[in-house]
Amino acid sequence: MSKTSRLGLLRDRDFGRLFAATALGQLGDRIIFLALPLVAVMALNADEFQVGLLTAMTTAGSLLVGLPAGAWVDRMRKRSVMISTDLVRALVLMTIPAAWWAGLLTIWWLCTVSLLHGVLTVFFDVAYVSYLPHLVGRSNLVEGNSKLSAIRSVTSISGPAAAGPLIGLVGAPSTLLVSSAGMAVSGLLAITIRRREPKPEPSKNPQLRREIKEGLGFVLDHPALRAIMLGDAIFNLFLVMYQTMLLIFLEREMGLQPFGIGLVLSGMGCGALLGALMATTISKWIGPGPVIWLAALVTCPLTVLMPLARPGWSVYAAAIGLAALSLGGVIRVVAQSSFQQALTPDRLLGRMSATTRFVSWGGIPVGGLLGGASGSAFGATNTLWIGAAGMTLSAVPNFLSPLRTMRRVPSE
C-alpha cells in the first residue's frame, strides 16, 4: 500500500485541520478524565458518593439539553457551533485552578463546572457528528470515523500518561490549565476550516417540540438505530459505574500514585488505538452489523481482570482487560457511527445524534450515582464486578436486531 493511499482523507486540507483540532481537544478531554476526579479525591478528600455525584454532573447535560440540542443544532451551521463551544469550554475549565489558587474551590464548585462543561459538550458532540458527512461525504464515513477514532485513541494514551506526572508535579487543579489550552487551540484550528456546509433552510413554522418529536420518531422507528441506541445505553450505564470506582480502586485499594494510575489508563488508550487501526478491516471481514454486538461480547468480559488484581504487578497485568475493552469499544463505535450517519438524511443528522445521545448517554449520570452508591454500600471491588457484567449484557439488543446479519452499511 502506498503512502498516499494510507493517508487517504488526511491529504484533504480541511479534514486535516479537523483531525488536528480533534487531537488537541481530545488531549484536553483525556486530561480532564484523570485530573477532575483526582481534584476531588486528592485535593478535596471527597468520599465515594461525592465522586459519583461529580461523575453524574459531568454527564447530566445529556439529560438536560440532549433532545433540544439536536433541533437547535439542525438550525445552525455545525462548524460555528463547534468553534464557540470549544472556546467557552476552555474558559469554564480555567475557573477551577483560579478557584484553587484563591482558596475557594469546593466539591460544589467542581460539580457546577462539570455540569456547565457537560452541557457545552452535548452541543459540541452533536455538531461534530453532524458535520462529518458534510466534510468528507457519505462514501468516506467509515474512513473518516476510523481516522478520527485513531487520533482520539492516541490522545487516550498520551493524555493520562502526560497527566499523571504533571499532576504529581503541579497538582491536579493546575493541570486543568493544559486541558483549557487544548480546547482553546482546537476551537481556533476549527476556524481555519474553509469548507462550510450550506446554511440550513429555516422552517416556515419552526416548532421545537415538533422537531424533537420528528427526530425521536425517526430513531425509534428504525430497528437498527433503536438497537444501537439501547445497547449503548446499557453499556454506558455500567461503564460509568465501573469507571467511577476504578480511580478509587486504583488509588485507595491498589495504592497507586498518579503516575501509576496514568500508566494503567494509558493501556486503555493503547487498546483504543489498535481498535481504530483495525476497525475498517474487521468491519469488512465480519460485517459492520455483526461486529457491533461481537465487539462487546468478546471484549467486555475481560474487564473482570481488574477486580481480581492485588497490589503489585498484577494490577498492571489487569490493565489488559481495560485495553481489550477500549479495543472493542472503538471498533463498535466506528461501525455504529457509520451506520447512524449513513441511514440519516442531512436535515435530521443533528436530531438523530442528539436523540441517540440523550437515550444512550442519559444513563451515564445514573451510572455515576449508582457507582457511588454501590461503592459506598459494597465497596469499589464489587462495583467493578457489577460493571463488568452489565457491559457484557449490552451486546444483547444488537444481537436481537437486524444488525446480527447486516454485512454492509446501507444507504440512506
Side-chain angles (χ1 to χ4, degrees):
M1 182 183 295
S2 68
K3 181 178 179 181
T4 299
S5 61
R6 286 197 301 268
L7 287 174
L9 285 172
L10 290 176
R11 291 176 294 153
D12 181 270
R13 177 190 178 277
D14 284 338
F15 182 80
R17 297 294 176 92
L18 179 65
F19 186 84
T22 299
L24 289 167
Q26 286 294 309
L27 180 63
D29 190 63
R30 287 297 86 193
I31 293 174
I32 294 171
F33 175 78
L34 180 61
L36 197 60
L38 287 180
V39 172
V41 173
M42 302 179 72
L44 300 178
N45 199 31
D47 60 28
E48 285 84 352
F49 184 77
Q50 287 174 326
V51 174
L53 179 63
L54 178 62
T55 302
M57 290 297 100
T58 302
T59 53
S62 295
L63 289 177
L64 293 177
V65 299
L67 289 177
W72 286 325
V73 168
D74 275 338
R75 298 175 182 177
M76 298 178 279
R77 284 194 170 103
K78 281 67 177 176
R79 172 180 166 276
S80 299
V81 176
M82 291 162 55
I83 293 167
S84 58
T85 50
D86 252 347
L87 296 178
V88 177
R89 284 191 299 173
L91 290 174
V92 168
L93 283 173
M94 286 181 64
T95 68
I96 294 178
W100 172 253
W101 295 330
L104 300 174
L105 189 62
T106 65
I107 188 66
W108 306 114
W109 190 301
L110 278 185
C111 287
T112 301
V113 170
S114 297
L115 179 61
L116 290 173
H117 183 271
V119 168
L120 292 166
T121 298
V122 171
F123 283 92
F124 176 87
D125 287 349
V126 169
Y128 185 88
V129 171
S130 306
Y131 183 60
L132 187 63
H134 293 287
L135 186 65
V136 304
R138 291 176 180 269
S139 61
N140 293 315
L141 282 173
V142 173
E143 181 189 351
N145 282 314
S146 295
K147 282 183 164 55
L148 293 173
S149 292
I151 194 58
R152 285 194 292 266
S153 302
V154 170
T155 59
S156 294
I157 301 169
S158 56
L166 191 59
I167 289 170
L169 182 65
V170 302
S174 299
T175 301
L176 289 170
L177 284 174
V178 178
S179 298
S180 177
M183 289 187 175
V185 178
S186 173
L188 295 174
L189 268 174
I191 292 175
T192 67
I193 297 175
R194 296 175 180 173
R195 193 177 309 153
R196 304 182 186 182
E197 77 275 23
K199 186 176 181 179
E201 294 186 8
S203 173
K204 295 181 180 179
N205 184 25
Q207 294 181 1
L208 186 62
R209 181 178 295 181
R210 178 183 58 80
E211 292 171 2
I212 291 173
K213 184 178 179 181
E214 184 182 11
L216 188 61
F218 174 75
V219 175
L220 292 178
D221 289 343
H222 198 292
L225 295 179
R226 186 173 63 242
I228 289 171
M229 183 173 63
L230 181 57
D232 257 4
I234 296 171
F235 178 84
N236 287 335
L237 186 148
F238 286 99
L239 172 65
V240 172
M241 285 187 67
Y242 190 98
Q243 288 180 329
T244 299
M245 287 300 106
L246 180 60
L247 288 178
I248 290 178
F249 175 82
L250 293 174
E251 199 265 343
R252 294 182 180 171
E253 299 194 23
M254 296 293 104
L256 295 185
Q257 297 302 309
F259 178 79
I261 295 174
L263 190 60
V264 170
L265 296 182
S266 292
M268 297 180 70
C270 292
L273 176 59
L274 184 59
L277 296 175
M278 298 169 58
T280 302
T281 301
I282 290 182
S283 289
K284 289 179 179 178
W285 177 43
I286 299 176
V291 81
I292 291 175
W293 61 269
L294 275 172
L297 190 63
V298 172
T299 59
C300 288
L302 295 175
T303 55
V304 300
L305 293 174
M306 188 56 68
L308 287 172
R310 296 295 178 265
W313 66 268
S314 66
V315 70
Y316 295 103
I320 295 172
L322 300 181
L325 175 69
S326 295
L327 183 149
V330 169
I331 291 173
R332 175 178 59 84
V333 167
V334 168
Q336 69 187 32
S337 295
S338 302
F339 257 103
Q340 290 167 325
Q341 292 163 333
L343 287 167
T344 307
D346 286 349
R347 67 182 185 84
L348 288 172
L349 277 168
R351 279 168 282 176
M352 176 279 296
S353 176
T355 298
T356 54
R357 183 188 175 98
F358 176 77
V359 176
S360 63
W361 284 52
I364 292 180
V366 179
L369 293 174
L370 287 177
S374 176
S376 298
F378 309 117
T381 302
N382 288 328
T383 302
L384 295 184
W385 280 100
I386 295 169
M391 286 187 286
T392 303
L393 290 174
S394 69
V396 173
N398 292 313
F399 176 77
L400 296 177
S401 78
L403 291 167
R404 183 173 68 254
T405 56
M406 294 178 72
R407 298 187 62 83
R408 65 181 181 86
V409 177
S411 301
E412 178 188 326

